[in-house]
Amino acid sequence: MRIAIVGLGLIGGSLALKLTEAGYSVWGISRNPATCQEALERGAVQGCGTELAQLTLFNPQVVVICTPLEQVLATLAALVPYLSPQTVVSDVGSVKQPIVGPATALWPLFVGGHPMAGKTLQGIQGAEANLFLGRPYVLTPIPQTQPQALAVMQELVAAVGAEVVLADPVRHDQAVAWVSHLPVMVGAGLIAAVSQEENSNILALARTLASSGFRDTSRVGGGIPQLGLEMARYNRQALLAALRGYQAELKALEQLIEGEQWEELLQKLQRVRQEWQQFPVNQGAP
Amino acid sequence: MRIAIVGLGLIGGSLALKLTEAGYSVWGISRNPATCQEALERGAVQGCGTELAQLTLFNPQVVVICTPLEQVLATLAALVPYLSPQTVVSDVGSVKQPIVGPATALWPLFVGGHPMAGKTLQGIQGAEANLFLGRPYVLTPIPQTQPQALAVMQELVAAVGAEVVLADPVRHDQAVAWVSHLPVMVGAGLIAAVSQEENSNILALARTLASSGFRDTSRVGGGIPQLGLEMARYNRQALLAALRGYQAELKALEQLIEGEQWEELLQKLQRVRQEWQQFPVNQGAP
């Protein structure tokens, strides 16, 4: 199968590496010639171009659009003239509802996708073949989605070692608002709150004393600003609902502490610890 | 130098291991005979007893109280009859203001201490000699603190490979409210908020899709409930102030998203990323 990856960042580069390793014929498209160069040198792709038109030479059976979210629809529209009628197209955007309907209208063989994997190091520099291994990879079919296109994408997800999770776009967006987008705002708020401490002695001491607990809690909040913006912009309603639910929980914790309701606070923290253990990603942790 | 460690949990056990390794003569006291047994088997201590009175046999020059916070003062009061007049006493509690004054009144050679180290695995099972290596170890002298007692504790901190940080108790408590105690509530609120999602399909999907970002942001929130309670109870005012500052930041983020002020949100997240890089614990991270 011939697969084209449009956008060779962390996700696109990692998909290319793994699919090449799995024996597929993989081409890349990147506007940046240096990225093409690096993808070729790392053996992620067997060919690479800077223009979408070059795809007519490769004639891919699958195209995965791995651009930033805001460019997915424009990229697809620009791609259409160069696709053969049987080509399946997917994307890897972290929000699906604003993409999947319009993209399917543009191209009937579109299937929305979202691999649940990432790392702090961005770009092709961070790419690694095993980024998706054992991770969920969401595919978001809608009633108009063609079954054969979905089947092709399921094969591709299996090929990168990920686990297929099927969800409709709206449900996907609400779930990631909770576990992926809300944590960015939670961490960003933590960094911002500490940093506005007015007593410079206390702020300096806080920075000195910050340990692994602070580092982990704030990590995704201190991540790439453009990614945080993208989540907020394209998943605005679900993220706002999550932020409001979160603030209600914080207020409840504050009131327990304010009212010195220590038995209730202990019970709450015990319940939280049980809930925390119900997330598969936490299982095996002590 | 003869050092007694009262309470052989994660911190006490780790101090004992490292101080023994560094050539000091170390005794332990634990109410639990099985803990004594394990400390002896691991070579953390050369002697171990279940009663404070047994310390008269060992005649320590330093005693470090490593009990839970709420037992520090009672333990010190119970210790006093068995101490020789030159014995230096310290503790490792995560809140200092409620401890240091009363403890110094009970025992003039008391010095408050707080090693900034921890891990998820609690108890002597989690203890490791290098837990404190390169980490800050706060000592909190007050005007009544005896200089020779402080000097002894500075030697001991250096012996466990940690970096001495001197701070007054109030300043310490405010700083750890920001970077140690607030993150617990931040993470606990996140877990609680996701878990109260009423649509069971969305909750199940959120749990399935939760990845390293959620895991890290929520980790300390899902920690030992008794530790979270202790922080809230003994550092109540500073934690409440931190919680309120945090909620103001979240509200500001919510308003930027609500108002679709994307340029301002991007600037905010860029500022947050710069602030995040100013914490030494984040330096070297990409």
Side-chain angles (χ1 to χ4, degrees), chain B residues 35-54:
Chain B
T35 302
C36 266
Q37 180 89 22
E38 183 158 354
L40 285 162
E41 280 170 9
R42 291 191 59 183
V45 294
Q46 63 177 68
C48 196
T50 56
E51 300 295 333
L52 292 174
Q54 293 168 282

Side-chain angles (χ1 to χ4, degrees), chain A residues 8 26-29 36 40 45-49 58:
Chain A
L8 293 167
V26 181
W27 264 51
I29 297 285
C36 265
L40 285 163
V45 295
Q46 61 177 69
C48 197
F58 182 55

Side-chain angles (χ1 to χ4, degrees), chain B residues 28-273:
Chain B
I29 297 286
S30 170
R31 279 193 240 172
N32 182 347
T35 302
C36 266
Q37 180 89 22
E38 183 158 354
L40 285 162
E41 280 170 9
R42 291 191 59 183
V45 294
Q46 63 177 68
C48 196
T50 56
E51 300 295 333
L52 292 174
Q54 293 168 282
L55 284 183
T56 49
L57 297 170
F58 181 56
N59 190 25
Q61 290 149 300
V62 181
V63 178
V64 186
I65 300 173
C66 301
T67 64
L69 199 59
E70 62 187 14
Q71 295 163 27
V72 171
L73 288 174
T75 301
L76 176 59
L79 257 179
V80 162
Y82 311 116
L83 299 177
S84 72
Q86 295 312 310
T87 306
V88 171
V89 180
S90 188
D91 76 325
V92 297
S94 70
V95 186
K96 300 267 61 89
Q97 206 265 332
I99 299 287
V100 179
T104 307
L106 277 166
W107 192 254
L109 291 172
F110 182 85
V111 180
H114 181 203
M116 301 302 298
K119 50 193 273 193
T120 316
L121 188 59
Q122 297 292 299
I124 184 119
Q125 295 76 23
E128 47 181 286
N130 288 332
L131 190 66
F132 310 104
L133 211 63
R135 300 295 314 144
Y137 193 126
V138 192
L139 296 175
T140 57
I142 56 176
Q144 303 92 304
T145 301
Q146 300 296 311
Q148 76 274 26
L150 181 60
V152 166
M153 283 309 299
Q154 286 180 297
E155 177 192 331
L156 194 140
V157 169
V160 300
E163 309 281 339
V164 173
V165 175
L166 298 179
D168 77 71
V170 173
R171 196 156 75 89
H172 165 275
D173 290 358
Q174 290 173 321
V176 296
W178 281 125
V179 294
S180 176
H181 303 170
L182 177 59
V184 171
M185 299 302 153
V186 163
L190 175 60
I191 299 160
V194 178
S195 302
Q196 57 76 43
E197 165 62 55
E198 287 168 4
N199 182 320
S200 61
N201 286 327
I202 293 170
L203 178 56
L205 186 61
R207 285 182 178 149
T208 300
L209 300 187
S211 186
S212 56
F214 178 82
R215 183 189 61 212
D216 287 357
T217 311
S218 68
R219 182 177 64 82
V220 296
I224 310 297
Q226 200 64 45
L227 291 180
L229 175 65
E230 193 173 80
M231 293 165 180
R233 190 163 186 165
Y234 291 95
N235 204 15
R236 178 170 165 273
Q237 287 301 345
L239 178 56
L240 282 173
L243 261 172
R244 286 170 192 143
Y246 179 57
Q247 289 174 90
E249 287 295 333
L250 281 179
K251 179 55 78 181
L253 284 166
E254 184 196 336
Q255 286 171 345
L256 291 178
I257 298 168
E258 172 74 51
E260 305 189 46
Q261 295 173 264
W262 304 129
E263 188 51 44
E264 290 84 350
L265 180 63
L266 181 61
Q267 285 166 12
K268 176 100 188 162
L269 295 174
Q270 285 167 339
R271 217 157 44 234
V272 160
R273 186 161 168 81

Side-chain angles (χ1 to χ4, degrees), chain A residues 137-162:
Chain A
Y137 192 126
V138 192
L139 296 175
T140 57
I142 57 176
Q144 302 92 303
T145 302
Q146 300 296 311
Q148 77 273 26
L150 181 61
V152 166
M153 284 309 299
Q154 286 180 299
E155 177 192 330
L156 193 142
V157 169
V160 300

Side-chain angles (χ1 to χ4, degrees), chain A residues 91-192:
Chain A
D91 77 324
V92 297
S94 70
V95 185
K96 300 267 62 92
Q97 206 263 330
I99 299 287
V100 179
T104 306
L106 277 166
W107 191 254
L109 291 173
F110 183 86
V111 181
H114 182 204
M116 301 302 297
K119 53 192 273 195
T120 316
L121 188 57
Q122 297 291 301
I124 185 119
Q125 295 76 21
E128 47 181 288
N130 288 332
L131 190 66
F132 310 104
L133 210 63
R135 300 296 314 144
Y137 192 126
V138 192
L139 296 175
T140 57
I142 57 176
Q144 302 92 303
T145 302
Q146 300 296 311
Q148 77 273 26
L150 181 61
V152 166
M153 284 309 299
Q154 286 180 299
E155 177 192 330
L156 193 142
V157 169
V160 300
E163 308 282 340
V164 173
V165 175
L166 297 179
D168 76 70
V170 173
R171 195 156 77 87
H172 165 276
D173 290 357
Q174 290 174 323
V176 297
W178 280 124
V179 295
S180 176
H181 304 170
L182 177 59
V184 170
M185 299 303 152
V186 162
L190 175 60
I191 299 161

